[in-house]
Amino acid sequence: MLRAVVLEKKASEPRLTDIDDPESPGRGEVIVKVEAAGVCYRDLLNRKGLMPRTRYPVVMGHEFSGTVAEVGQDTEEIHVGDRVAGLPHSTCGSCRYCLEGRENLCRHRLQLGEEINGCWAEYVRVKSRDLVRVPEEVDAAAASIAGCVLGMIIHALRDQAKVRSGELVLVTGAGGGVGIHAVMLSKIFGCSVIALTSSADKAEQVREAGADCVVVGADMLSHSVREMTGGEGVDVVLECVGEPLLEYSLKSTAWGGRVVLIGNVNVGEARVPIGYMILRENALVGSIGTTKTSMAEALSLVKARLLNPVLTRLPLEKASDALQLLEKRASLGRLVLTP
Ligand SMILES: [Zn+2]
Ligand SMILES: [Zn+2]
């Protein structure tokens, strides 16, 4: 038996319980002893029953790092004892997107913690091809967010925003677990950063993360941005909040600017000012998950101490509390559970 945080049915309270050990790893599969597992806004949406593909009962969680405990046949370069971090979903390895190295778009992807059992547990069974090796200098908690947080932001900035050094980036939701790392990574990409946060008490932390300017509250956002940029606006918006802020984001964007949608806290739809965007050649682009390339890049930035993730560690038993902290925006940086 092993301990795991299980969602029994739609919108139920997650429960720490003993479940059967995972089945022996099949071809291409490994069992990972989980050492750290991130807590994502997506987990909160899942807990509320808002992720339509979730199959119940399911072990929650999709962000993890750990040590390989057992391997099946054909597990390529992954061996027992390797330290690894995982993609937030399983991939097929053979669709057009997988073959192009765009594993985040795998047409047969199955999300951990929703469609298949996740990692808020002592052990998780995954495919070896969905793992990235973790350098020994990177601790387990930092490695656990290499996928859904750090790799995801790198993918959004480099592949989707096509950001260039010297550009001005606006990060919304900058006090959150994704936002604070989006500020740090934008700086690493050589950009200046305006950060928007709803909580005044997180402004200092966001500034410490490297933001050149912090705006508290969305009401004055587009006005402040225009004032700061001589009326020009920002080159890139990393939209971590979604529908509630999209109008402000678009109004803050320069001619030719790009808005990348990373998160949508209320799962709502937004109206888009089409004419305004055509005239200004603004791009609105989604960004989902991470590629293994972006994950490896994130891990090497942490290894080189160019990036120091902001983490709050909690024991696995506190998974429900962690989701409440996330909902109340009361946590610092990313919450990470340790089994
Ligand atoms: Zn996540
Ligand atoms: Zn695929």
Side-chain angles (χ1 to χ4, degrees):
M1 301 291 270
L2 63 98
R3 292 185 314 146
V5 177
V6 176
L7 263 188
E8 299 286 354
K9 54 183 198 287
K10 191 167 179 165
S12 63
E13 194 60 37
R15 224 160 43 86
L16 182 73
T17 182
D18 286 331
I19 60 168
D20 290 339
D21 288 330
E23 287 168 39
S24 294
R27 188 172 288 268
E29 290 179 338
V30 304
I31 307 285
V32 176
K33 183 178 194 314
V34 178
E35 270 144 31
V39 180
C40 185
Y41 207 88
R42 182 169 180 147
D43 298 313
L44 183 60
L45 297 177
N46 191 31
R47 133 93 183 79
K48 290 180 171 181
L50 295 172
M51 303 311 291
R53 298 169 77 120
T54 301
R55 297 175 194 163
Y56 304 93
V58 72
V59 176
M60 294 189 73
H62 58 266
E63 305 173 4
F64 71 95
S65 71
T67 303
V68 176
E70 204 181 332
V71 298
Q73 288 180 309
D74 300 332
T75 49
E76 294 157 27
E77 286 102 50
I78 299 291
H79 304 106
V80 170
D82 285 352
R83 297 183 70 227
V84 292
L87 285 173
H89 57 272
S90 84
T91 64
C92 76
S94 56
C95 73
R96 170 186 151 197
Y97 298 101
C98 282
L99 295 175
E100 286 176 354
R102 301 169 78 191
E103 304 90 4
N104 60 319
L105 295 182
C106 173
R107 297 299 294 122
H108 307 286
R109 70 181 179 199
L110 294 171
Q111 181 76 14
L112 269 75
E114 294 168 26
E115 293 161 281
I116 52 176
N117 276 341
C119 57
W120 289 4
E122 291 175 287
Y123 292 89
V124 62
R125 186 164 58 111
V126 291
K127 292 174 183 160
S128 65
R129 67 165 166 270
D130 299 331
L131 297 172
V132 172
R133 280 169 192 270
V134 175
E136 61 184 71
E137 297 87 346
V138 178
D139 75 35
S144 73
I145 66 161
C148 196
V149 181
L150 306 178
M152 186 261 291
I153 297 164
I154 290 173
H155 168 63
L157 277 170
R158 187 191 47 208
D159 304 331
Q160 301 303 90
K162 306 208 185 312
V163 76
R164 293 182 293 270
S165 178
E167 286 193 314
L168 180 58
V169 176
L170 167 64
V171 176
T172 67
V178 171
I180 194 106
H181 295 104
V183 170
M184 293 173 166
L185 283 159
S186 298
K187 293 300 290 182
I188 290 171
F189 273 76
C191 300
S192 300
V193 177
I194 298 176
L196 173 70
T197 174
S198 57
S199 15
D201 52 350
K202 287 191 179 166
E204 193 48 45
Q205 183 203 354
V206 172
R207 204 167 280 119
E208 278 170 23
D212 298 280
C213 172
V214 181
V215 178
V216 178
D219 293 346
M220 292 298 287
L221 178 67
S222 31
H223 177 77
S224 305
V225 168
R226 301 228 163 262
E227 208 165 60
M228 278 177 244
T229 58
E232 288 298 314
V234 299
D235 301 301
V236 169
V237 181
L238 287 183
E239 182 49 82
C240 302
V241 177
E243 185 274 331
L245 289 183
L246 187 61
E247 186 188 337
Y248 299 100
S249 297
L250 283 166
K251 292 270 162 64
S252 305
T253 306
W255 294 67
R258 298 85 78 198
V259 176
V260 183
L261 302 169
I262 296 182
N264 192 21
V265 292
N266 65 6
V267 207
E269 295 188 356
R271 289 171 66 86
V272 173
I274 295 172
Y276 178 91
M277 292 180 66
I278 292 174
L279 288 172
R280 304 162 65 92
E281 281 201 345
N282 287 143
L284 182 59
V285 58
S287 190
I288 181 73
T290 180
T291 62
K292 286 200 287 180
T293 306
S294 297
M295 278 182 78
E297 194 171 334
L299 288 164
S300 58
L301 288 172
V302 178
K303 176 185 170 183
R305 302 194 183 283
L306 292 169
L307 178 63
N308 292 307
V310 183
L311 304 165
T312 302
R313 294 167 175 80
L314 288 172
L316 187 63
E317 301 84 85
K318 299 280 186 190
S320 280
D321 298 352
L323 290 172
Q324 281 176 23
L325 286 171
L326 192 62
E327 183 156 35
K328 287 188 282 188
R329 302 180 200 169
S331 52
L332 194 67
R334 192 59 149 194
L335 288 161
V336 171
L337 300 171
T338 48

